[in-house]
Short mmCIF file of all heavy atoms in Angstrom, two decimals:
data_model
loop_
_atom_site.label_atom_id
_atom_site.label_comp_id
_atom_site.label_asym_id
_atom_site.label_seq_id
_atom_site.Cartn_x
_atom_site.Cartn_y
_atom_site.Cartn_z
N GLY A 910 -5.09 10.05 3.01
CA GLY A 910 -4.94 8.65 3.38
C GLY A 910 -3.88 8.34 4.41
O GLY A 910 -3.57 7.17 4.65
N SER A 911 -3.33 9.37 5.08
CA SER A 911 -2.28 9.09 6.06
C SER A 911 -2.80 8.26 7.22
O SER A 911 -2.06 7.46 7.80
CB SER A 911 -1.68 10.40 6.57
OG SER A 911 -2.67 11.17 7.25
N ASP A 912 -4.09 8.42 7.56
CA ASP A 912 -4.65 7.61 8.66
C ASP A 912 -4.71 6.14 8.27
O ASP A 912 -4.49 5.25 9.11
CB ASP A 912 -6.04 8.11 9.03
CG ASP A 912 -7.03 8.04 7.87
OD1 ASP A 912 -6.62 8.26 6.71
OD2 ASP A 912 -8.23 7.77 8.13
N LEU A 913 -4.97 5.87 7.00
CA LEU A 913 -5.03 4.48 6.54
C LEU A 913 -3.65 3.85 6.50
O LEU A 913 -3.49 2.66 6.78
CB LEU A 913 -5.70 4.41 5.17
CG LEU A 913 -7.14 4.92 5.12
CD1 LEU A 913 -7.69 4.82 3.71
CD2 LEU A 913 -8.02 4.15 6.10
N VAL A 914 -2.64 4.65 6.14
CA VAL A 914 -1.27 4.15 6.17
C VAL A 914 -0.89 3.76 7.59
O VAL A 914 -0.28 2.71 7.83
CB VAL A 914 -0.29 5.20 5.62
CG1 VAL A 914 1.16 4.75 5.84
CG2 VAL A 914 -0.53 5.42 4.13
N LYS A 915 -1.25 4.59 8.56
CA LYS A 915 -0.95 4.27 9.96
C LYS A 915 -1.67 3.01 10.40
O LYS A 915 -1.13 2.20 11.15
CB LYS A 915 -1.35 5.45 10.86
CG LYS A 915 -0.46 6.68 10.68
CD LYS A 915 -0.94 7.83 11.57
CE LYS A 915 -0.07 9.06 11.38
NZ LYS A 915 -0.57 10.22 12.19
N ALA A 916 -2.92 2.83 9.94
CA ALA A 916 -3.66 1.62 10.29
C ALA A 916 -3.00 0.38 9.71
O ALA A 916 -2.92 -0.67 10.37
CB ALA A 916 -5.10 1.73 9.79
N VAL A 917 -2.51 0.48 8.48
CA VAL A 917 -1.81 -0.64 7.86
C VAL A 917 -0.54 -0.97 8.64
O VAL A 917 -0.23 -2.13 8.91
CB VAL A 917 -1.48 -0.33 6.39
CG1 VAL A 917 -0.54 -1.38 5.81
CG2 VAL A 917 -2.75 -0.26 5.56
N ASP A 918 0.21 0.08 9.01
CA ASP A 918 1.44 -0.14 9.77
C ASP A 918 1.14 -0.79 11.12
O ASP A 918 1.89 -1.65 11.58
CB ASP A 918 2.16 1.20 9.98
CG ASP A 918 2.78 1.73 8.70
OD1 ASP A 918 2.98 0.92 7.76
OD2 ASP A 918 3.06 2.94 8.62
N ALA A 919 0.04 -0.37 11.75
CA ALA A 919 -0.33 -0.96 13.05
C ALA A 919 -0.67 -2.43 12.89
O ALA A 919 -0.28 -3.28 13.71
CB ALA A 919 -1.50 -0.19 13.66
N ARG A 920 -1.41 -2.78 11.83
CA ARG A 920 -1.75 -4.18 11.60
C ARG A 920 -0.51 -4.98 11.28
O ARG A 920 -0.39 -6.15 11.69
CB ARG A 920 -2.76 -4.30 10.46
CG ARG A 920 -4.15 -3.82 10.80
CD ARG A 920 -5.19 -4.46 9.90
NE ARG A 920 -4.94 -4.23 8.50
CZ ARG A 920 -5.33 -3.15 7.83
NH1 ARG A 920 -5.99 -2.19 8.46
NH2 ARG A 920 -5.09 -3.02 6.55
N ARG A 921 0.43 -4.38 10.58
CA ARG A 921 1.66 -5.10 10.24
C ARG A 921 2.45 -5.42 11.51
O ARG A 921 3.05 -6.50 11.62
CB ARG A 921 2.50 -4.26 9.28
CG ARG A 921 3.74 -4.96 8.77
CD ARG A 921 4.50 -4.14 7.76
NE ARG A 921 3.70 -3.94 6.55
CZ ARG A 921 3.17 -2.78 6.18
NH1 ARG A 921 3.34 -1.70 6.91
NH2 ARG A 921 2.46 -2.70 5.07
N ARG A 922 2.48 -4.49 12.45
CA ARG A 922 3.24 -4.74 13.68
C ARG A 922 2.66 -5.88 14.50
O ARG A 922 3.39 -6.54 15.24
CB ARG A 922 3.30 -3.46 14.52
CG ARG A 922 4.20 -2.37 13.94
CD ARG A 922 4.44 -1.27 14.94
NE ARG A 922 3.21 -0.54 15.25
CZ ARG A 922 2.79 0.53 14.57
NH1 ARG A 922 3.49 0.98 13.55
NH2 ARG A 922 1.67 1.16 14.93
N THR A 923 1.35 -6.09 14.40
CA THR A 923 0.72 -7.17 15.17
C THR A 923 0.44 -8.40 14.31
O THR A 923 -0.17 -9.35 14.80
CB THR A 923 -0.60 -6.67 15.78
OG1 THR A 923 -1.49 -6.25 14.73
CG2 THR A 923 -0.35 -5.50 16.73
N ASP A 924 0.88 -8.39 13.07
CA ASP A 924 0.63 -9.52 12.17
C ASP A 924 1.32 -10.78 12.69
O ASP A 924 2.51 -10.76 13.01
CB ASP A 924 1.17 -9.18 10.78
CG ASP A 924 0.96 -10.32 9.80
OD1 ASP A 924 -0.18 -10.53 9.38
OD2 ASP A 924 1.95 -11.01 9.49
N PRO A 925 0.58 -11.88 12.81
CA PRO A 925 1.20 -13.10 13.35
C PRO A 925 2.33 -13.64 12.49
O PRO A 925 3.29 -14.22 13.01
CB PRO A 925 0.03 -14.09 13.42
CG PRO A 925 -0.99 -13.57 12.47
CD PRO A 925 -0.86 -12.08 12.51
N ASN A 926 2.26 -13.43 11.17
CA ASN A 926 3.37 -13.87 10.32
C ASN A 926 4.63 -13.06 10.60
O ASN A 926 5.73 -13.60 10.63
CB ASN A 926 2.97 -13.74 8.85
CG ASN A 926 1.90 -14.74 8.45
OD1 ASN A 926 2.05 -15.93 8.65
ND2 ASN A 926 0.80 -14.24 7.91
N GLN A 927 4.46 -11.75 10.80
CA GLN A 927 5.61 -10.91 11.11
C GLN A 927 6.25 -11.33 12.43
O GLN A 927 7.48 -11.46 12.55
CB GLN A 927 5.17 -9.44 11.20
CG GLN A 927 6.29 -8.47 11.52
CD GLN A 927 7.24 -8.28 10.37
OE1 GLN A 927 6.91 -7.66 9.37
NE2 GLN A 927 8.43 -8.84 10.48
N ARG A 928 5.40 -11.57 13.44
CA ARG A 928 5.93 -11.98 14.74
C ARG A 928 6.62 -13.34 14.64
O ARG A 928 7.68 -13.56 15.23
CB ARG A 928 4.80 -12.05 15.78
CG ARG A 928 4.21 -10.69 16.13
CD ARG A 928 3.45 -10.77 17.46
NE ARG A 928 2.46 -11.84 17.46
CZ ARG A 928 1.19 -11.67 17.11
NH1 ARG A 928 0.77 -10.47 16.73
NH2 ARG A 928 0.34 -12.68 17.15
N TYR A 929 6.01 -14.23 13.88
CA TYR A 929 6.56 -15.58 13.75
C TYR A 929 7.93 -15.54 13.07
O TYR A 929 8.91 -16.13 13.56
CB TYR A 929 5.59 -16.45 12.96
CG TYR A 929 6.10 -17.83 12.66
CD1 TYR A 929 6.21 -18.79 13.66
CD2 TYR A 929 6.45 -18.19 11.35
CE1 TYR A 929 6.67 -20.08 13.38
CE2 TYR A 929 6.91 -19.46 11.07
CZ TYR A 929 7.02 -20.40 12.08
OH TYR A 929 7.48 -21.66 11.79
N VAL A 930 8.03 -14.85 11.93
CA VAL A 930 9.29 -14.81 11.19
C VAL A 930 10.35 -14.08 12.00
O VAL A 930 11.52 -14.50 12.05
CB VAL A 930 9.09 -14.14 9.82
CG1 VAL A 930 10.42 -13.96 9.10
CG2 VAL A 930 8.13 -14.96 8.96
N SER A 931 9.96 -13.00 12.69
CA SER A 931 10.93 -12.25 13.50
C SER A 931 11.46 -13.10 14.66
O SER A 931 12.59 -12.90 15.11
CB SER A 931 10.28 -10.98 14.05
OG SER A 931 9.89 -10.12 13.01
N GLY A 932 10.65 -14.05 15.13
CA GLY A 932 11.06 -14.88 16.24
C GLY A 932 11.92 -16.08 15.86
O GLY A 932 12.43 -16.78 16.74
N LEU A 933 12.08 -16.32 14.57
CA LEU A 933 12.90 -17.44 14.12
C LEU A 933 14.39 -17.09 14.25
O LEU A 933 14.78 -15.92 14.15
CB LEU A 933 12.59 -17.79 12.67
CG LEU A 933 11.18 -18.31 12.37
CD1 LEU A 933 11.00 -18.48 10.86
CD2 LEU A 933 10.89 -19.62 13.09
N SER A 934 15.20 -18.10 14.43
CA SER A 934 16.65 -17.89 14.41
C SER A 934 17.07 -17.51 13.00
O SER A 934 16.33 -17.76 12.03
CB SER A 934 17.36 -19.17 14.83
OG SER A 934 17.18 -20.19 13.84
N PRO A 935 18.22 -16.87 12.82
CA PRO A 935 18.67 -16.52 11.46
C PRO A 935 18.68 -17.71 10.51
O PRO A 935 18.28 -17.58 9.34
CB PRO A 935 20.09 -15.97 11.69
CG PRO A 935 20.04 -15.43 13.09
CD PRO A 935 19.14 -16.37 13.85
N GLU A 936 19.08 -18.87 11.01
CA GLU A 936 19.12 -20.05 10.15
C GLU A 936 17.72 -20.49 9.75
O GLU A 936 17.47 -20.83 8.58
CB GLU A 936 19.85 -21.19 10.86
CG GLU A 936 21.33 -20.95 11.12
CD GLU A 936 21.57 -20.01 12.29
OE1 GLU A 936 20.62 -19.78 13.09
OE2 GLU A 936 22.70 -19.49 12.42
N ARG A 937 16.80 -20.50 10.71
CA ARG A 937 15.42 -20.89 10.41
C ARG A 937 14.74 -19.86 9.52
O ARG A 937 13.90 -20.20 8.69
CB ARG A 937 14.64 -21.07 11.70
CG ARG A 937 14.97 -22.32 12.47
CD ARG A 937 14.44 -23.56 11.77
NE ARG A 937 12.98 -23.69 11.91
CZ ARG A 937 12.25 -24.56 11.22
NH1 ARG A 937 12.81 -25.34 10.31
NH2 ARG A 937 10.94 -24.63 11.41
N ARG A 938 15.09 -18.60 9.69
CA ARG A 938 14.49 -17.56 8.85
C ARG A 938 14.92 -17.77 7.40
O ARG A 938 14.11 -17.62 6.48
CB ARG A 938 14.90 -16.18 9.35
CG ARG A 938 14.14 -15.04 8.68
CD ARG A 938 14.49 -13.69 9.30
NE ARG A 938 14.20 -13.68 10.72
CZ ARG A 938 15.08 -13.38 11.66
NH1 ARG A 938 16.32 -13.06 11.34
NH2 ARG A 938 14.73 -13.38 12.94
N GLU A 939 16.20 -18.09 7.19
CA GLU A 939 16.66 -18.37 5.84
C GLU A 939 15.96 -19.59 5.27
O GLU A 939 15.59 -19.62 4.09
CB GLU A 939 18.18 -18.58 5.85
CG GLU A 939 18.99 -17.31 6.05
CD GLU A 939 18.79 -16.30 4.93
OE1 GLU A 939 18.72 -16.71 3.76
OE2 GLU A 939 18.69 -15.10 5.23
N ALA A 940 15.74 -20.58 6.11
CA ALA A 940 15.04 -21.79 5.65
C ALA A 940 13.59 -21.48 5.32
O ALA A 940 13.03 -22.03 4.36
CB ALA A 940 15.13 -22.87 6.73
N PHE A 941 12.97 -20.60 6.11
CA PHE A 941 11.59 -20.18 5.84
C PHE A 941 11.50 -19.51 4.48
O PHE A 941 10.62 -19.82 3.67
CB PHE A 941 11.13 -19.23 6.95
CG PHE A 941 9.74 -18.68 6.77
CD1 PHE A 941 8.66 -19.27 7.41
CD2 PHE A 941 9.51 -17.56 5.98
CE1 PHE A 941 7.37 -18.76 7.25
CE2 PHE A 941 8.23 -17.05 5.81
CZ PHE A 941 7.16 -17.66 6.45
N LEU A 942 12.42 -18.59 4.21
CA LEU A 942 12.42 -17.88 2.93
C LEU A 942 12.64 -18.85 1.77
O LEU A 942 12.00 -18.73 0.72
CB LEU A 942 13.52 -16.81 2.94
CG LEU A 942 13.25 -15.57 3.79
CD1 LEU A 942 14.51 -14.73 3.90
CD2 LEU A 942 12.12 -14.76 3.21
N ALA A 943 13.56 -19.79 1.97
CA ALA A 943 13.82 -20.75 0.90
C ALA A 943 12.61 -21.64 0.66
O ALA A 943 12.29 -21.97 -0.49
CB ALA A 943 15.05 -21.60 1.26
#
Side-chain angles (χ1 to χ4, degrees):
S911 63
D912 61 325
L913 299 179
V914 172
K915 291 178 181 177
V917 170
D918 289 340
R920 289 203 303 275
R921 185 176 295 110
R922 288 192 295 271
T923 60
D924 179 74
N926 291 306
Q927 180 72 72
R928 292 199 306 268
Y929 175 72
V930 175
S931 297
L933 296 174
S934 68
E936 294 77 16
R937 286 288 286 168
R938 190 175 301 126
E939 287 297 320
F941 178 96
L942 287 170

